[in-house]
């Protein structure tokens, strides 16, 4: 309470000071947060007017952010907007899951927001528009999210000018009627990308039709933590160096039937947590060094062309919760070390030509405490399966 009078006094003083002095930008920037700039506010309002609000966004957090935008207010306080505290320039436009429906082109007023660092338009409906090539005129972008928003056509090469990107998400632009990818990034797209966007940490390109090989240069992206290229129509040999990227935790190239390669020798320094190669043509044996992947949680190798016996070292994966090796050409026995997979919840070993297994050889499996799903479909078994209360299937 004692401070209240001083508070009034300082406001009063500031007012007098400002009103008797020529405006001094230095003082202003210290005492008053700048409001958003007029031109940027009008760009945002014009963008808002361009779109219908329609039921096109799913998910619990979806809501029509632009509906609350009103001309009379400081646009820096609007839902989905953040400004630079010193300059007032809009630096974040997050309109993910905002029920926006309508097309977008090079003339969109968002390209007047030249200071944007993060742009998220994911989970809306841009009515099969091409990605406007002027997105390349937002040179400060570090985050670009155009996922699941009905963009179509060729990814413009201007995106490769955005050399500051750390996050690029073009995934899941899917034609709902034909279940086919809408976006294409034909060669040399991926090579250009890996030559220019060298700071990328997350690259999410699932369902972008590339119809190409994976260039070795992708392994130059040494900051990558997450790489997802499911269903991209990739073919040829997957560059082994990508497995060894020092920060890579999530690698998924599921459902690229013509993509092939062997699993490399894994180093115990590997941070891999998730490796998804399901529905590819990876072949050869699992290296014993797979037991070095101490961080591994999800390992999906279903529907590949892998052979040989399962290495005993697979029991050394303490965090493994999902192991899918069904529909391959594995032979031999299920290693007894599987009993040590104390976090395993899902195990699919089905449809492999294992040696005939007496059910006693599976006693290791019954010892996995957390196991909730077990697929033994079409493996050679004989004997009785013991009753196990906590097994569901
Ligand atoms: C919105 O769309 C979803 C799926 O497309 C549908 O299940 C839901 O009923 C729709 N909601 C409204 C309010 O129309
Ligand atoms: C979406 O595109 C279709 C076909 O080009 C067009 O008829 C329709 O008016 C567009 N809808 C919107 C909201 O732009
Ligand atoms: C963009 O605006 C210019 C000039 O206003 C116009 O000539 C052009 O047709 C517009 N392009 C699109 C794709 O709307
Ligand atoms: C990108 O958009 C998708 C779809 O709306 C969303 O699930 C994801 O969380 C977004 N990612 C970021 C980093 O905003
Ligand atoms: C945007 O403009 C460029 C040329 O400035 C043109 O090549 C491109 O096709 C246009 N893209 C869209 C989506 O309108
Ligand atoms: C790569 O980045 C440089 C520098 O920003 C740019 O001049 C060049 O056009 C970019 N290459 C591609 C393929 O976009
Ligand atoms: C991807 O593009 C190629 C060549 O353009 C085409 O033959 C193929 O059908 C496309 N794949 C999908 C899944 O649409
Ligand atoms: C990128 O990778 C290629 C081939 O893998 C290599 O020759 C080149 O030196 C690498 N460039 C950089 C900058 O690391
Ligand atoms: C594992 O990788 C680290 C860092 O890349 C390297 O220093 C070490 O020699 C490698 N160890 C083996 C056994 O390859
Ligand atoms: C699987 O491997 C076998 C021999 O190793 C080869 O004959 C067959 O073509 C491969 N199948 C696929 C789908 O790659
Ligand atoms: C399965 O593996 C065996 C060797 O264990 C090999 O002889 C056979 O060709 C493989 N079959 C296929 C379809 O790859
Ligand atoms: C399970 O792990 C323990 C401790 O690392 C080890 O002593 C034991 O031999 C392992 N069991 C099997 C069946 O590999």
């Amino acid at each position: 309470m004692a401070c209240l009078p001083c508070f009034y006094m300082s406001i009063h003083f500031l007012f007098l000071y400002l009103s008797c002095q020529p405006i001094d930008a230095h003082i202003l920037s210290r005492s008053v947060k700048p409001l958003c700039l007029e031109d940027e506010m009008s760009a945002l309002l014009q963008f808002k007017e361009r779109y219908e609000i329609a039921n096109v966004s799913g998910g619990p957090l979806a809501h029509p952010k632009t509906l609350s935008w009103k001309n009379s207010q400081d646009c820096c306080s609007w839902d989905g907007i953040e400004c630079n505290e010193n300059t007032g320039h809009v630096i974040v436009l997050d309109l993910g899951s905002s029920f926006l429906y309508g097309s977008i082109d090079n003339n969109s007023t968002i390209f007047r927001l030249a200071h944007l660092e993060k742009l998220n338009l994911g989970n809306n409906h841009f009515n099969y528009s091409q990605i406007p090539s002027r997105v390349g005129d937002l040179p400060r972008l570090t985050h670009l999210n155009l996922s699941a928003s009905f963009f179509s056509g060729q990814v413009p090469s201007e995106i490769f000018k955005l050399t500051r990107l750390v996050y690029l998400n073009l995934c899941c632009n899917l034609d709902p009627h034909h279940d086919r990818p809408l976006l294409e990034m034909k060669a040399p797209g991926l090579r250009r990308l890996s030559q220019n966007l060298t700071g990328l940490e997350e690259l999410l390109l699932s369902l972008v039709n590339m119809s190409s090989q994976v260039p070795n240069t992708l392994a130059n992206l040494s900051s990558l933590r997450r790489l997802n290229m499911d269903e991209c129509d990739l073919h040829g040999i997957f560059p082994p160096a990508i497995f060894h990227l020092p920060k890579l935790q999530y690698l998924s190239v599921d459902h690229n039937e013509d993509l092939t390669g062997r699993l490399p020798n894994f180093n115990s320094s590997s941070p891999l947590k998730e490796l998804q190669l399901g529905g590819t043509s990876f072949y050869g044996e699992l290296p014993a060094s797979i037991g070095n992947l101490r961080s591994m949680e999800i390992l999906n190798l279903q529907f590949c062309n892998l052979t040989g016996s399962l290495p005993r070292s697979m029991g050394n994966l303490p965090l493994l919760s999902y192991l899918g090796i069904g529909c391959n050409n594995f032979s031999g026995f299920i290693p007894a070390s599987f009993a040590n997979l104390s976090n395993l919840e899902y195990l699919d070993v089905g449809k492999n030509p294992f040696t005939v297994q007496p059910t006693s050889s599976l006693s290791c499996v019954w010892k996995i405490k957390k196991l909730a799903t077990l697929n033994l479909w079409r493996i050679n078994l004989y004997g009785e399966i013991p009753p196990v209360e906590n097994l569901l299937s």
Side-chain angles (χ1 to χ4, degrees):
M1 274 322 228
C3 262
L4 211 49
C6 351
F7 178 67
Y8 277 122
M9 240 170 70
S10 64
I11 294 269
H12 191 62
F13 172 75
L14 182 68
F15 180 73
L16 282 179
Y17 188 78
L18 287 180
S19 54
C20 320
Q21 296 282 323
I23 300 288
D24 180 329
H26 181 62
I27 291 172
L28 271 180
S29 74
R30 263 196 305 160
S31 33
V32 190
K33 250 192 186 176
L35 300 177
C36 87
L37 306 172
E38 190 125 342
D39 176 60
E40 296 194 349
M41 170 139 76
S42 100
L44 288 166
L45 287 170
Q46 285 174 57
F47 181 80
K48 166 188 173 169
E49 292 312 318
R50 188 98 170 60
Y51 295 94
E52 293 175 24
I53 298 297
N55 182 15
V56 294
S57 306
L61 298 177
H63 66 285
K65 293 183 185 172
T66 56
L67 280 187
S68 64
W69 292 4
K70 295 279 155 40
N71 193 2
S72 54
Q73 295 159 13
D74 171 18
C75 75
C76 295
S77 63
W78 290 352
D79 198 2
I81 310 287
E82 281 174 39
C83 298
N84 178 298
E85 285 196 6
N86 297 317
T87 63
H89 284 296
V90 174
I91 53 171
V92 175
L93 179 58
D94 178 358
L95 292 177
S97 307
S98 296
F99 297 97
L100 301 175
Y101 174 49
S103 56
I104 187 167
D105 59 34
N106 280 331
N107 285 352
S108 172
T109 55
I110 55 172
F111 301 121
R112 301 212 314 248
L113 305 172
H115 292 259
L116 272 186
E117 292 169 17
K118 297 186 179 181
L119 175 59
N120 181 4
L121 298 175
N123 196 18
N124 290 291
H125 196 314
F126 288 97
N127 205 13
Y128 308 98
S129 300
Q130 284 180 268
I131 296 175
S133 52
R134 281 201 61 197
V135 75
D137 296 343
L138 299 172
R140 295 170 195 240
L141 279 185
T142 58
H143 291 66
L144 178 60
N145 192 343
L146 303 177
S147 64
S149 259
F150 298 89
F151 283 103
S152 72
Q154 178 71 23
V155 173
S157 60
E158 284 79 359
I159 277 195
F160 310 139
K161 290 202 271 185
L162 301 174
T163 49
R164 295 195 194 177
L165 281 182
V166 296
Y167 176 92
L168 176 59
N169 189 346
L170 303 178
C171 104
C172 313
N173 285 284
L174 186 66
D175 179 347
H177 307 301
H178 305 98
D179 214 26
R180 289 173 74 87
L182 290 170
L183 281 177
E184 295 183 344
M185 190 163 83
K186 297 294 162 67
L190 207 48
R191 181 173 309 124
R192 291 261 162 80
L193 181 151
S194 50
Q195 280 161 352
N196 258 23
L197 308 189
T198 50
L200 278 174
E201 294 174 10
E202 295 183 70
L203 178 58
L204 309 171
L205 298 174
S206 290
L207 287 156
V208 176
N209 185 349
M210 302 200 221
S211 300
S212 64
Q213 302 197 8
V214 182
N216 288 325
T217 48
L218 200 62
N220 286 358
L221 300 180
S222 56
S223 301
L224 266 190
R225 280 188 292 112
R226 186 185 291 268
L227 175 60
N228 194 327
M229 300 194 295
D230 295 343
E231 290 189 66
C232 288
D233 206 356
L234 296 169
H235 54 255
I237 297 172
F238 188 76
I242 292 176
F243 288 106
H244 299 306
L245 282 169
K247 297 186 178 161
L248 195 63
Q249 298 183 333
Y250 304 91
L251 171 59
S252 186
V253 290
D254 280 346
H255 302 293
N256 287 289
E257 283 73 15
D258 297 325
L259 186 65
T260 174
R262 287 170 175 274
L263 289 178
N265 276 322
F266 293 105
N267 185 325
S268 53
S269 66
S270 168
L272 270 177
K273 286 184 177 177
E274 193 172 318
L275 179 59
Q276 308 247 25
L277 306 176
T280 63
S281 295
F282 270 80
Y283 66 97
E285 302 194 5
L286 293 186
S289 60
I290 202 162
N292 286 338
L293 298 173
R294 306 289 293 180
S295 307
M296 185 58 68
E297 295 169 14
I298 295 179
L299 180 58
N300 177 13
L301 307 171
Q302 287 153 317
F303 296 95
C304 292
N305 203 358
L306 298 161
T307 69
S309 51
L310 299 174
R312 209 179 322 142
S313 60
M314 290 177 86
N316 295 348
L317 305 173
L319 304 179
L320 196 67
S321 64
Y322 182 109
L323 176 58
I325 49 177
C327 299
N328 277 287
N329 186 25
F330 289 118
S331 50
F333 289 93
I334 313 276
S337 62
F338 273 33
N340 271 352
L341 295 171
S342 54
N343 277 302
L344 197 66
E345 294 170 22
Y346 177 100
L347 174 62
D348 171 14
V349 294
K351 210 156 178 288
N352 276 298
F354 287 117
T355 309
V356 175
Q357 316 240 341
T359 51
S360 60
S361 77
L362 285 181
S363 60
C364 59
V365 171
W366 316 136
K367 288 182 192 150
I368 306 174
K369 291 283 179 306
K370 290 195 181 168
L371 200 62
T373 305
L374 173 63
N375 184 343
L376 298 174
W377 189 56
R378 286 184 58 184
I379 74 168
N380 299 316
L381 269 177
Y382 76 85
E384 271 176 42
I385 293 191
V388 181
E389 266 68 49
N390 64 352
L391 287 185
L392 299 179
S393 62

